[in-house]
Structures are given as structure tokens and as C-alpha cells.
Amino acid sequence: MGAVVVGADGREIARGHSREDDPSGHAEEAALAKARAGLAGATVYSSLEPCGLRKSHRTPCAELILASGASRVVFAWREPTLFVEGTGAERLIAAGVEVVELPALAARAREANAHLLGHA
Ligand SMILES: [Zn+2]
């Protein structure tokens, strides 16, 4: 999984990928940790829908995105239920964030993560 934070001016602010810092780290979490503040108007691009719940009791990525001030989220693949319930997009939309889902790219995101699904 990967995530890129792009500012309102179209320039990349930070990027991250899952398990970058520790085994339970998420891509958006890693990217936002590097982006720090000043994300008003920014867009978070992610290969996977930002999570709305986490079994590890860490802050879900949807909440991290809301706290960052980013106003738009674009993702390719809706969270498979084998990880956690896919409530991230709904949480973001409810808070007024523009959410864009790109189902056409989902197959490519799935392909890159096929090992996590237990089949090729
Ligand atoms: Zn997450």
C-alpha cells in the first residue's frame, strides 16, 4: 500500500507506504507523519481506502487525515473486509472531505497486494 500527500499547489509534500516504520504502520499514517502541518487544501492519494477502524487501537487513517486538514482523498481500492470494516470513506465524507474512488485502478492495487489476500 502507498500514499502520497499533494499540496493545494499540486506539489508533493510527502509519501509513505505501509509497514514503513513498524509492522502495523499504514501508508497514510507514514506519509502524514512526514507531512506534519499545513495541509489545508491538500489531497491524500492512497492505493487503499483510508481505514476507519484499527484493531491495533492506533488512530485510524481517516481520523489522521481529518486532523491534518487535507480536504480531498483519492483512493483506488476499497478496503477488503479481511482487514477491517471499510468505514474510512464514509467517515471522511461525513466530515466534509471530498472523496474520489477510482475503481478502474482497483485491479492494479489488488495485484500489488495479492500476497496479503492469500491467492495470486
Ligand atoms: Zn490506515
Side-chain angles (χ1 to χ4, degrees):
M1 316 296 179
V4 181
V5 181
V6 176
D9 60 0
R11 298 171 76 152
E12 179 180 324
I13 296 172
R15 62 173 62 200
H17 56 85
S18 51
R19 295 184 294 283
E20 185 171 314
D21 299 317
D22 66 73
S24 57
H26 287 188
E28 304 92 321
E29 184 176 39
L32 289 169
K34 281 177 248 177
R36 296 189 180 88
L39 296 186
T43 297
V44 177
Y45 293 89
S46 181
S47 50
L48 184 72
E49 175 188 6
C51 60
L53 288 170
R54 286 177 82 161
K55 287 175 183 151
S56 59
H57 301 293
R58 287 161 64 158
T59 308
C61 294
E63 299 298 332
L64 294 173
I65 290 167
L66 290 176
S68 77
S71 57
R72 192 161 167 261
V73 173
V74 179
F75 68 88
W77 186 23
R78 214 166 243 278
E79 187 134 29
T81 50
L82 77 102
F83 295 132
V84 289
E85 289 301 310
T87 58
E90 286 74 16
R91 175 74 186 92
L92 291 163
I93 291 166
V97 172
E98 182 187 353
V99 174
V100 180
E101 189 176 348
L102 301 173
L105 297 179
R108 289 174 62 183
R110 286 180 73 103
E111 206 178 343
N113 294 285
H115 58 288
L116 297 176
L117 299 175
H119 58 83

